[in-house]
Amino acid sequence: MDAPDVIDTLVGVEPGSRLDRIRAERPQARENAQASYAALFMPAEPGGMALAERFAVAAFVAGLHEQPAAYAHYTAGLEQHGNAAITAAVAEAIAAGRTRGPYGAYPPGPLSAEDRAGPTFAAPPATRDALGGRLAAALDHAHLLVFRPRDARPDALQALLDAGWTTTEVVTLSQLVAFLSFQVRVIAGLSVLAADAGEPR
């Protein structure tokens, strides 16, 4: 049996509802989003990026975006595949990393007018100890991609390699952060539509 559509589940989309009909108007987008979720969080072979790492990064990104349904979902996955210490450390990292972006600098040119200085995130020392160097580096990088994507340069990738990530795992990590950023925006948009309609989702 296919897994329930995760976006529908997180938003509370009821079969036959207005939101269900809206999503049905773009069946390929709906199917692709669910397929991406399955590939990232239900892979036949997780490879070098363990499921606990995937759910930890996802919970962190959802928490940074302040999306409670997604955060609860990925935290539940982390609790299933990880341990209580990691779950608590991710929550601590979210609290330390919350801010408002985007920040960073474009290469010199017309877009430089939009440059904006902002904080550089590194998980607090005690949190890093609980996470371990490899996962702490992943959360640092995820924070960069969420709030300072303009600054995602080779030295940022080198920090992941230095922490033990392979190039293939770095690609998976980047895909995961991009998917979460997309997913939470879809959830937010559908929730607004539901609230505006004032009818069951």
Side-chain angles (χ1 to χ4, degrees):
M1 180 181 293
D2 292 338
D5 185 283
V6 68
I7 290 177
D8 285 353
T9 299
L10 296 180
V11 177
V13 176
E14 298 289 343
S17 67
R18 176 172 175 266
L19 288 189
D20 186 39
R21 295 192 297 273
I22 288 173
R23 294 209 73 202
E25 291 176 0
R26 300 187 63 189
Q28 189 171 15
R30 194 180 205 173
E31 292 167 8
N32 288 344
Q34 181 63 13
S36 295
Y37 173 84
L40 289 167
F41 297 101
M42 298 184 292
E45 294 292 338
M49 189 175 184
L51 290 176
E53 292 176 322
R54 294 168 188 249
F55 280 101
V57 173
F60 180 68
V61 173
L64 292 179
H65 282 288
E66 301 182 28
Q67 214 310 310
Y71 174 71
H73 174 80
Y74 291 110
T75 297
L78 175 56
E79 291 171 346
Q80 178 182 353
H81 297 286
N83 59 61
I86 296 296
T87 302
V90 169
E92 292 168 2
I94 291 167
R98 282 203 175 109
T99 186
R100 298 291 178 188
Y103 305 110
Y106 288 104
L111 292 177
S112 295
E114 298 182 19
D115 291 355
R116 184 182 174 202
T120 299
F121 175 78
T127 304
R128 300 187 81 80
D129 290 342
L131 293 169
R134 177 180 160 92
L135 184 52
L139 298 194
D140 291 349
H141 191 73
H143 194 280
L144 171 75
L145 295 181
V146 171
F147 291 115
R148 295 170 49 233
R150 305 165 193 173
D151 295 336
R153 298 188 175 93
D155 59 329
L157 298 177
Q158 187 61 50
L160 288 171
L161 299 177
D162 292 344
W165 290 82
T166 68
T167 52
T168 299
E169 292 162 2
V170 170
V171 171
T172 301
L173 172 62
S174 299
Q175 290 172 331
L176 192 152
V177 175
F179 172 75
L180 258 293
S181 296
F182 156 78
Q183 187 186 61
V184 297
R185 283 166 173 78
V186 173
I187 292 169
L190 290 173
S191 297
V192 168
L193 287 175
D196 287 346
E199 62 180 59
R201 298 178 179 185

